Amino acid sequence: MSISSGEVTAMVSADGSGDGEVEPDDNLRSFGETVKASRKRVGLTQEQLAPLIGHSVQYAGSAEQGRRHPSKKFIAKTESVLDTFGVIDIAARQLSRRRGLASWFRRWAELEEGAVILNTYECRSVPGLLQPESYARALIANVPPLATPEEADARVAARMERNELAVTGASWDAFLAGVTANT
């Protein structure tokens, strides 16, 4: 399977938001509904909750609506402030996320997993599937928007997981032949 640049462009621009929010799944929505119900149970609005947990109203709203994966800090502070007897922690454990993969990139990653061949051109960086951990960490740590240490670790882990595709499924002979032919 080869991926044309038109498909990649469509995948990149499909989300359109570019703000780091994700496409909601059932577990993410369920987590958000749990937070919302817990917040309402104690009689707080999002505007009142946000400063108590150290997050913006927009962040709290996005988490409640299932558009943003909550940080560990968000989960811990919300659990504490809303005194939910572990309910928010339990709901958070149900979240499954391919951490480090932006919503606009997920489709590419799905295609990549089943691809027989990938055609890509990178003139100034090592392609993602070929990046050693130190290179990936340096890129992630220095390319805006800068990630928190936890986000950086998650992104590096996701990239290294993807690198397994290159190790287990790729024909290195074909890759090396392509490199040799293009030099």
Side-chain angles (χ1 to χ4, degrees):
M1 173 197 317
S2 181
I3 302 171
S4 74
S5 61
E7 291 176 66
V8 174
T9 302
M11 286 183 273
V12 170
S13 60
D15 172 301
S17 66
D19 59 4
E21 293 187 353
V22 298
E23 296 170 18
D25 62 23
D26 289 338
N27 289 336
L28 198 52
R29 282 189 202 104
S30 178
F31 173 83
E33 290 169 5
T34 301
V35 171
K36 183 177 182 177
S38 300
R39 175 182 55 76
K40 286 186 171 187
R41 179 185 62 87
V42 298
L44 293 175
T45 65
Q46 288 179 352
E47 291 79 11
Q48 293 166 325
L49 177 64
L52 297 175
I53 61 173
H55 285 283
S56 69
V57 175
Q58 292 80 10
Y59 187 99
S62 289
E64 276 191 15
Q65 293 167 14
R67 293 181 301 156
R68 178 180 293 277
H69 278 271
S71 67
K72 290 177 184 176
K73 175 187 169 194
F74 178 88
I75 294 165
K77 294 291 285 182
T78 304
E79 174 69 40
S80 173
V81 168
L82 299 179
D83 193 26
T84 63
F85 306 101
V87 171
I88 290 178
D89 285 332
I90 292 167
R93 278 188 239 131
Q94 303 306 311
L95 298 176
S96 60
R97 176 181 181 189
R98 295 185 70 175
R99 293 194 59 84
L101 296 183
S103 58
W104 60 264
F105 185 74
R106 239 179 253 130
R107 179 70 178 132
W108 172 269
E110 289 170 8
L111 291 171
E112 188 177 65
E113 286 177 11
V116 174
I117 187 170
L118 292 172
N119 293 319
T120 183
Y121 175 76
E122 301 285 343
C123 67
R124 295 189 174 155
S125 67
V126 175
L129 288 179
L130 304 176
Q131 293 175 354
E133 184 172 345
S134 58
Y135 186 91
R137 190 168 297 282
L139 280 178
I140 290 166
N142 295 299
V143 174
L146 299 179
T148 66
E150 295 83 23
E151 291 171 334
D153 288 343
R155 290 177 189 171
V156 169
R159 191 161 299 178
M160 294 302 102
E161 183 179 313
R162 284 183 50 244
N163 283 3
E164 290 299 315
L165 292 173
V167 173
T168 59
S171 168
W172 285 102
D173 293 338
F175 170 75
L176 293 174
V179 170
T180 306
N182 292 324
T183 56

